[in-house]
């Protein structure tokens, strides 16, 4: 299975990002376009709602990054399970608790990155499938602050690793279990601050 990878350079995570602290809850809505998987090869469309009650602080993000470096994604998952900064839902399904939400501004654009413990299917737990090695849901949004509109992508099953290579140095790698992440479009952010 082909994996789609996004590299987040450590410098972007630590130095270049400045957190915009929003007052009150923010609601972000939009459309989701998912590409087929083994069981269903067609295209699926729907809606999503992201509600953020509070943003993960720089100190918390540093702690999670340290855990990732020292102990890997399983330790990070154990730690973030206790965090509740919002919710994420697709269509009419029950929402998942958002565990990490970071809002940053780079070159006049708002970037929102959200991590949560993903939905797991009974069959994958019963069968012990490889997909269980991808325990996170990951959402990445780019929003124009002037209009509150934007685009993004959603990884329904993601693996998060601390990697090093000659080109990028030390960085966080987010790997999608699916061939392609779902596309997020028609994004609208309410309660803009």
């Amino acid at each position: 299975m082909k994996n789609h990878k996004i590299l987040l350079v450590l410098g972007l995570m630590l130095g270049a990002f400045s957190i915009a602290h929003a007052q009150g809850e923010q609601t972000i809505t939009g459309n989701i376009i998912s590409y087929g998987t083994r069981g269903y090869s067609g295209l699926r469309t729907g809606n999503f709602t992201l509600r953020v009650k509070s943003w993960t602080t720089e100190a918390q993000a540093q702690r999670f990054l340290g855990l990732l470096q020292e102990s890997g994604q399983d330790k990070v998952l154990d730690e973030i399970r206790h965090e509740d900064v919002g919710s994420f839902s697709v269509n009419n399904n029950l929402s998942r608790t958002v565990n990490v939400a970071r809002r940053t501004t780079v070159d006049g654009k708002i970037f929102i990155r959200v991590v949560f413990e993903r939905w797991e299917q009974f069959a994958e737990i019963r069968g012990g499938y490889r997909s269980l090695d991808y325990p996170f849901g990951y959402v990445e949004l780019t929003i124009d602050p002037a209009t509150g509109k934007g685009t993004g992508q959603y990884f329904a099953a993601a693996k998060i690793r601390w990697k090093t290579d000659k080109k990028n140095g030390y960085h966080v790698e987010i790997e999608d279990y699916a061939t392609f992440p779902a596309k997020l479009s028609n994004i609208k952010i309410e309660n803009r601050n």
Side-chain angles (χ1 to χ4, degrees):
M1 175 170 294
K2 181 179 176 185
N3 290 316
H4 177 79
K5 296 179 182 178
I6 288 187
L7 302 179
L8 300 176
V9 179
L10 179 60
L12 292 176
M13 289 188 67
L14 302 178
F17 284 175
S18 61
I19 296 177
H21 295 282
Q23 301 289 328
E25 182 176 294
Q26 286 194 323
T27 302
I28 302 167
T29 60
N31 300 111
I32 185 168
I33 302 167
S34 301
Y35 303 98
T37 61
R38 292 180 195 171
Y40 176 79
S41 60
L43 191 68
R44 294 181 181 171
T45 60
N47 301 308
F48 77 90
T49 302
L50 170 63
R51 288 189 175 85
V52 180
K53 299 185 291 188
S54 62
W55 300 100
T56 303
T57 66
E58 180 68 21
Q60 290 171 310
Q62 291 296 325
R63 190 175 87 239
F64 300 147
L65 183 59
L67 283 172
L68 183 63
Q69 292 170 347
E70 295 169 14
S71 306
Q73 73 172 8
D74 292 337
K75 186 65 174 172
V76 173
L77 182 60
D78 289 342
E79 186 71 19
I80 69 170
R81 278 187 176 127
H82 308 291
E83 303 293 328
D84 180 359
V85 297
S87 64
F88 180 77
S89 62
V90 176
N91 295 326
N92 295 322
N93 296 325
L94 290 174
S95 64
R96 293 297 294 177
T97 298
V98 169
N99 307 113
V100 177
R102 297 279 286 166
R103 175 183 163 144
T104 58
T105 304
V106 176
D107 296 331
K109 297 283 185 187
I110 296 171
F111 292 91
I112 296 175
R113 291 176 175 85
V114 172
V115 177
F116 54 91
E117 184 175 9
R118 75 173 177 89
W119 289 276
E120 292 178 344
Q121 304 298 319
F122 177 74
E124 56 182 328
I125 296 169
R126 182 172 177 239
Y129 296 140
R130 187 175 80 86
S131 59
L132 294 174
D133 293 336
Y134 296 75
F136 299 99
Y138 175 74
V139 175
E140 184 174 86
L141 306 173
T142 303
I143 299 172
D144 179 354
T147 64
K149 296 180 181 180
T151 60
Q153 52 189 349
Y154 165 52
F155 294 37
K159 181 186 286 188
I160 301 176
R161 291 185 288 235
W162 180 251
K163 298 272 292 193
T164 183
D165 61 43
K166 291 180 182 178
K167 181 179 178 185
N168 296 306
Y170 290 101
H171 59 272
V172 174
E173 179 183 72
I174 300 176
E175 181 181 329
D176 188 17
Y177 179 71
T179 305
F180 300 104
K183 293 207 181 292
L184 303 178
S185 62
N186 299 321
I187 293 171
K188 296 176 186 167
I189 185 168
E190 302 169 16
N191 309 325
R192 287 186 283 149
N193 297 326

